[in-house]
Amino acid sequence: MAVYFFYGDEDYNIELELEKMSSKLNPDFKSMSLQTFDNPNFNTLITALRTTPMMFGDMLIIINAEEYLLSNKNSFDDSELSEIEDALNNNPETLNIVFVVRLPRDENKKPDSRRKLYKILSKHNVKEFPTFKTYKTAEIAGWIKAQAKKKDITLEDNAVTLLIEQIGNNLREFNTELDKLKLIAYPEKKVTGKMVKEICISNEDLFNFTELIMKGERDRALLEFNKLLDKKHPLEILSAVQTMLKKWIILKTKSSSSTPAELSKLTGQHEFVVKQTLQKLKNTKTGDLVKLKQNLFEAEFKIKSAEAIDITREVECAIIR
């Protein structure tokens, strides 16, 4: 088989690639043919690399190697590196070995190419998995359409545009929404812009909800919350609002010292959305955003820990506090 070296800050694409590789293993022997190690010491690593597949067919060994190439932990001496290189060069035909380095998102970090282990791995199948830039909407749209095809559905162009406007470049979230849209479209296989509007809470929906809270118009905020309940479970709404509030707090605290392009990178939103949001937040105090986020966090904790008797009421109380 082969040796691979995957690295990058788009961990979801790395995850999909590993799932694709593992799907080719014999399902009856998956528990024995798939092994994962997290930055193992030399003895454990060399034993894994010299594994001889048995009667159950091909094997896949995944080595999470962040500490090898991003820190000084688990560094190997020359004799150990020589053994590692020999093991990789003489890899059995029925064994796939994948070294994986997941990088911090949007920090422009790379594995340390000066290290001898990097030089050894770079002789094999190297693939980088970078995060899509938020302004490269064509690339994001291509990914969404390809992922939709895997799910046996297609999306209208305006449906793709709406998803990107609402989600930005979060691939994992796109995948979740595509699963929901597939169910909504069934038995049809085409997703329309109308379906996206119906199933996905838009930034505008969330802004209207939180803006009313900020203005102290609690009654109207509760009415808006109940409208959102027609689309989502209370916990989904809480999660979406929490994510949005986090981005808003970043925008408010960083706007005076950062450009729209830098804010776009920090929040994963398109520059146009960043500028639009900053304008809407012009009269909103950062402290009010932080307080609301804390209230909603406490409500979410009570719900998830089964302390809340009435989930909807718990959220409503967090809104009016």
Side-chain angles (χ1 to χ4, degrees):
M1 301 295 277
V3 176
Y4 300 84
F5 177 28
F6 296 163
Y7 71 90
D9 58 357
E10 184 46 79
D11 67 322
Y12 190 61
N13 268 343
I14 294 176
E15 184 179 311
L16 290 177
E17 190 69 20
L18 294 174
E19 286 179 0
K20 180 181 176 182
M21 296 177 74
S22 66
S23 69
K24 297 177 181 179
L25 300 174
N26 188 324
D28 295 330
F29 301 101
K30 200 77 167 280
S31 61
M32 293 181 282
S33 58
L34 174 60
Q35 296 181 22
T36 301
F37 299 88
D38 292 322
N39 306 286
N41 60 32
F42 173 73
N43 289 332
T44 303
L45 175 62
I46 199 65
T47 299
L49 299 184
R50 295 193 184 281
T51 298
T52 302
M54 302 175 70
M55 297 295 291
F56 46 81
D58 295 344
M59 286 191 68
L60 172 62
I61 292 180
I62 300 169
I63 310 291
N64 293 320
E66 287 81 10
E67 290 184 3
Y68 298 159
L69 297 169
L70 297 179
S71 73
N72 293 320
K73 296 180 180 179
N74 278 337
S75 56
F76 305 114
D77 61 34
D78 288 345
S79 63
E80 290 171 337
L81 287 168
S82 179
E83 280 196 59
I84 291 171
E85 184 171 21
D86 180 70
L88 296 179
N89 289 337
N90 294 283
N91 185 43
E93 291 184 2
T94 54
L95 178 63
N96 273 324
I97 299 171
V98 188
F99 283 81
V100 180
V101 175
R102 294 174 177 83
L103 300 168
R105 192 176 181 88
D106 293 325
E107 291 187 12
N108 294 318
K109 286 189 176 182
K110 300 283 186 181
D112 190 345
S113 60
R114 298 167 300 176
R115 300 195 182 191
K116 293 181 179 179
L117 179 60
Y118 179 93
K119 292 178 171 62
I120 291 171
L121 296 178
S122 64
K123 295 176 182 178
H124 298 277
N125 299 284
V126 181
K127 187 172 182 179
E128 183 178 5
F129 294 81
T131 300
F132 289 118
K133 303 299 182 185
T134 52
Y135 57 83
K136 293 190 176 181
T137 53
E139 290 184 6
I140 299 173
W143 187 93
I144 293 172
K145 291 177 180 178
Q147 195 68 2
K149 186 177 181 181
K150 293 178 184 177
K151 299 178 185 293
D152 198 27
I153 55 173
T154 59
L155 280 76
E156 292 180 348
D157 287 342
N158 67 326
V160 174
T161 300
L162 284 169
L163 282 172
I164 294 173
E165 287 177 355
Q166 293 177 28
I167 297 174
N169 65 349
N170 189 320
L171 303 190
R172 195 179 299 276
E173 191 172 342
F174 281 130
N175 187 66
T176 298
E177 294 304 319
L178 287 174
D179 285 336
K180 295 175 185 175
L181 290 166
K182 180 176 180 177
L183 291 174
I184 291 295
Y186 184 83
E188 302 298 325
K189 294 186 177 183
K190 189 159 191 174
V191 173
T192 65
K194 182 180 178 181
M195 291 175 187
V196 173
K197 288 181 179 179
E198 288 175 350
I199 193 65
C200 303
I201 298 178
S202 70
N203 288 332
E204 193 63 34
D205 291 332
L206 296 175
F207 194 94
N208 290 338
F209 171 48
T210 52
E211 186 177 40
L212 289 170
I213 299 174
M214 299 305 168
K215 289 180 178 178
E217 299 180 27
R218 309 296 185 180
D219 291 344
R220 291 182 62 194
L222 291 175
L223 287 174
E224 199 67 32
F225 172 64
N226 280 285
K227 289 180 185 177
L228 293 174
L229 287 174
D230 292 335
K231 297 181 181 180
K232 299 277 188 175
H233 184 277
L235 278 176
E236 290 184 89
I237 298 171
L238 278 176
S239 177
V241 174
Q242 289 273 44
T243 299
M244 187 188 66
L245 285 171
K246 180 181 178 181
K247 292 177 180 179
W248 287 4
I249 292 168
I250 291 173
L251 291 178
K252 289 289 288 184
T253 55
K254 300 287 187 181
S255 59
S256 61
S257 60
S258 304
T259 65
E262 290 170 335
L263 292 173
S264 172
K265 181 183 290 187
L266 287 171
T267 60
Q269 296 175 309
H270 194 278
E271 280 188 49
F272 172 76
V273 176
V274 166
K275 292 175 183 177
Q276 190 179 51
T277 304
L278 282 172
Q279 182 61 33
K280 290 180 178 180
L281 291 173
K282 185 169 58 174
N283 298 319
T284 302
K285 296 179 181 178
T286 305
D288 290 339
L289 293 173
V290 173
K291 182 180 178 182
L292 175 58
K293 192 173 187 304
Q294 181 62 32
N295 287 348
L296 295 177
F297 174 80
E298 290 173 2
E300 184 177 3
F301 176 81
K302 288 182 179 179
I303 293 170
K304 289 183 176 179
S305 60
E307 292 181 31
I309 298 174
D310 185 326
I311 294 176
T312 302
R313 179 62 179 163
E314 192 66 47
V315 179
E316 291 175 342
C317 288
I319 293 170
I320 63 177
R321 281 208 300 273

